[in-house]
Amino acid sequence: MIAPLDDSGIVIEGFGSLTGRDVRDVTEPIVEHLKREDRFYRLETITHRYPHCWRCGTPLVFRLVDEWYISMGPVYDRPRAELTPAEVDASLRYQIMEIVDQIRWIPAFGYDRELDWLINMHDWMISKKRYWGLALPDLRLQGVRHVRRRRRP
């Protein structure tokens, strides 16, 4: 898939007359091109909600971007107490649940919410594209192919 927009919402090089133009200014030229190529279906106005920046109120732009995920591993169809150590090691969600069990939750209902979130979550996207929030460090360790959590004795 080709991602035609840069970080500022400007069409990147390689898109002819659209190159260098703001994404909000290319609708008409794209429609005209589709009509010339006899690939246009129809254009209509649809009223719908659209996301806006909570800070400045401008409409958000959806872009194709690479994302990084951490595999949470399988969900087993039986109680946690019946899982083998190998099954827990194969699923990050169950390893995190073991840590969650060690936390004193205030209020207590947070414990059940956390476990519910862990059991129902998909793989964990860690590369959200934001201009604020926590940065994701890119640690490249020479000679390390993967990192495993060590079990405490």
Side-chain angles (χ1 to χ4, degrees), residues 51-83:
H52 288 70
C53 174
W54 66 273
R55 293 177 178 184
C56 64
T58 58
L60 298 180
V61 174
F62 292 99
R63 298 177 44 232
L64 294 173
V65 294
D66 291 330
E67 299 290 4
W68 290 54
Y69 291 83
I70 294 176
S71 171
M72 293 305 292
V75 176
Y76 301 107
D77 194 21
R78 60 184 192 280
R80 283 175 45 204
E82 296 177 12
L83 299 180

Side-chain angles (χ1 to χ4, degrees), residues 60-148:
L60 298 180
V61 174
F62 292 99
R63 298 177 44 232
L64 294 173
V65 294
D66 291 330
E67 299 290 4
W68 290 54
Y69 291 83
I70 294 176
S71 171
M72 293 305 292
V75 176
Y76 301 107
D77 194 21
R78 60 184 192 280
R80 283 175 45 204
E82 296 177 12
L83 299 180
T84 67
E87 289 171 321
V88 171
D89 283 345
S91 183
L92 181 58
R93 77 183 70 244
Y94 292 102
Q95 295 170 38
I96 294 173
M97 285 178 187
E98 289 181 348
I99 302 302
V100 168
D101 289 341
Q102 299 170 28
I103 297 170
R104 180 175 157 234
W105 290 85
I106 301 173
F109 65 77
Y111 172 78
D112 290 328
R113 285 187 180 179
E114 185 73 10
L115 291 180
D116 183 66
W117 175 72
L118 285 164
I119 204 71
N120 290 301
M121 75 180 295
H122 299 285
D123 287 343
W124 188 0
M125 184 174 60
I126 59 170
S127 60
K128 294 189 187 299
K129 304 296 190 254
R130 298 180 175 203
Y131 292 105
W132 65 92
L134 299 175
L136 176 65
D138 183 11
L139 303 175
R140 297 175 194 248
L141 306 174
Q142 291 204 354
V144 176
R145 295 188 341 179
H146 67 279
V147 177
R148 290 200 56 182

Side-chain angles (χ1 to χ4, degrees), residues 5-45:
L5 301 177
D6 69 11
D7 290 346
S8 299
I10 304 299
V11 178
I12 62 172
E13 192 68 39
F15 288 88
S17 63
L18 302 178
T19 296
R21 294 180 70 178
D22 188 281
V23 68
R24 291 169 284 264
D25 300 330
V26 297
T27 302
E28 279 188 42
I30 290 172
V31 168
E32 292 307 315
H33 174 78
L34 292 172
K35 285 179 178 177
R36 280 193 310 276
E37 298 293 319
D38 198 30
R39 297 191 180 269
F40 182 75
Y41 177 62
R42 74 175 176 214
L43 181 65
E44 63 184 272
T45 300

